[in-house]
């Protein structure tokens, strides 16, 4: 009987270890693919609670890096939508104050997209993907 309990205890430990494995793999696994920032990557600048760059371009059909420079102390981000109705969001950038982030935007099909700051919906711009 004692031996059976010991075996069960071992089995429980093994199961617990197995259950933990996927979580560890996620933490230590391969990082999310990053996209190189090339000369043609769009750059969006915010200053004075408005986008200084209201028309940016990006390549169609492949993930791209978008550099967002927030020169305000106010928090901003860049969110991309299929159009100005903002009913369909295709990308939501991190909101931050005074700094720069390189957003990794997933591949978009060719077309004209609408972007805005989620904190200040009056800050808007156009992204042309071609
Ligand atoms: Cu803003």
């Amino acid at each position: 009987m004692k031996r059976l309990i010991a075996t069960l205890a071992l089995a429980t430990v093994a199961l617990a270890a197995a259950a933990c494995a996927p979580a560890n793999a996620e933490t230590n696994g391969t990082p999310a693919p990053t996209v190189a920032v090339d000369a043609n990557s769009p750059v969006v600048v915010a200053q004075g609670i408005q986008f200084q760059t209201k028309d940016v371009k990006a390549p169609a059909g492949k993930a791209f890096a978008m550099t967002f420079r927030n020169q305000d102390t106010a928090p901003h981000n860049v969110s991309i939508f299929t159009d100005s109705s903002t009913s369909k969001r295709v990308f939501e950038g991190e909101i931050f104050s005074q700094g720069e982030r390189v957003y990794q935007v997933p591949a978009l099909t060719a077309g004209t997209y609408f972007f805005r700051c989620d904190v200040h919906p009056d800050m808007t711009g156009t992204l042309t993907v071609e």
Side-chain angles (χ1 to χ4, degrees):
M1 189 61 186
K2 225 173 185 179
R3 192 184 165 87
L4 178 62
I5 289 167
T7 307
L8 280 172
L10 271 177
T12 307
V13 168
L15 276 173
C20 286
N24 289 342
E26 251 170 66
T27 313
N28 304 325
T30 44
T34 52
V35 182
V37 181
D38 66 40
N40 298 319
S41 292
V43 178
V44 174
V45 178
Q47 191 180 40
I49 320 291
Q50 53 184 309
F51 289 125
Q52 300 299 313
T53 37
K54 290 174 168 289
D55 286 287
V56 293
K57 287 186 193 323
K62 61 175 184 182
F64 61 92
M66 172 186 271
T67 301
F68 179 45
R69 252 171 235 143
N70 179 1
Q71 299 180 341
D72 285 338
T73 50
H76 300 302
N77 78 335
V78 176
S79 262
I80 305 171
F81 300 84
T82 51
D83 60 59
S84 61
S85 73
T86 67
S87 56
K88 191 171 179 219
R89 192 195 306 263
V90 294
F91 175 77
E92 181 176 3
E94 179 198 346
I95 297 171
F96 61 95
S97 302
Q98 234 168 13
E100 181 175 306
R101 298 284 188 282
V102 178
Y103 293 145
Q104 309 296 333
V105 184
L108 298 174
T109 54
T112 305
Y113 295 80
F114 172 86
F115 68 85
R116 73 160 190 209
C117 168
D118 288 325
V119 184
H120 309 97
D122 288 342
M123 294 173 61
T124 64
T126 301
L127 168 68
T128 304
V129 175
E130 58 189 13

